[in-house]
Amino acid sequence: MDISRYRDLFVSEAREHLTVLGSLSMRCEEGVADSDTINEMFRHAHSLKGMAATMQLGPITTLSHALEDLLSRIRDDQFSPTRHTVDLMLAAIDTLEQLVALVEMPGETMVETV
């Protein structure tokens, strides 16, 4: 699949999702991890995962899926987010932002079958 036709759209939408995820993670860090916040975070992680999978961007798909799984466990009351959990979410978001930046660079490729 030639992703170059959709690269700019993917990057733009991915950045929007990551911006919201970052903001909502900061709310969790402040102790505001209510169900609405977690559900919204889950939706953004899920959307990013789907977009990346469609574009066959394996590393982004894998990491966004792991973030989605973590949020699902929080949403299902398997555990409450701690400072460490929020730090992991922020690290994942930071790494996803770096991966999206790589997608934006001409000639860079991280396409792989997931």
Side-chain angles (χ1 to χ4, degrees), residues 3 13 15 19 27 29 32 45 48 53 63 67-68 70-71 74 76 78 84 87-88 101 107 109-110:
I3 68 167
E13 289 186 16
R15 284 194 171 137
T19 296
R27 288 182 59 193
E29 189 172 49
V32 186
L48 180 59
L63 185 52
L67 180 59
E68 178 188 43
L70 175 66
L71 292 164
I74 294 169
D76 294 342
Q78 292 181 11
H84 180 68
D87 287 346
L88 286 173
T109 180
M110 65 172 71

Side-chain angles (χ1 to χ4, degrees), residues 36-61:
D36 289 339
T37 300
I38 299 302
N39 284 331
E40 186 174 353
M41 290 178 74
F42 178 87
R43 284 191 301 274
H44 285 282
H46 180 76
S47 294
L48 180 59
K49 178 191 76 176
M51 291 172 19
T54 299
M55 297 282 290
Q56 297 179 337
L57 299 170
I60 297 173
T61 303

Side-chain angles (χ1 to χ4, degrees), residues 18-106:
L18 291 168
T19 296
V20 174
L21 278 166
S23 296
L24 293 172
S25 293
M26 296 306 291
R27 288 182 59 193
C28 290
E29 189 172 49
E30 297 165 357
V32 186
D34 60 17
S35 63
D36 289 339
T37 300
I38 299 302
N39 284 331
E40 186 174 353
M41 290 178 74
F42 178 87
R43 284 191 301 274
H44 285 282
H46 180 76
S47 294
L48 180 59
K49 178 191 76 176
M51 291 172 19
T54 299
M55 297 282 290
Q56 297 179 337
L57 299 170
I60 297 173
T61 303
T62 300
L63 185 52
S64 57
H65 185 92
L67 180 59
E68 178 188 43
D69 284 348
L70 175 66
L71 292 164
S72 178
R73 292 181 64 205
I74 294 169
R75 186 174 68 170
D76 294 342
D77 291 325
Q78 292 181 11
F79 67 92
S80 296
T82 64
R83 171 115 182 139
H84 180 68
T85 308
V86 174
D87 287 346
L88 286 173
M89 289 189 287
L90 289 169
I93 293 164
D94 184 52
T95 302
L96 287 165
E97 288 170 345
Q98 293 172 29
L99 291 170
V100 169
L102 285 175
V103 171
E104 186 176 33
M105 296 173 67

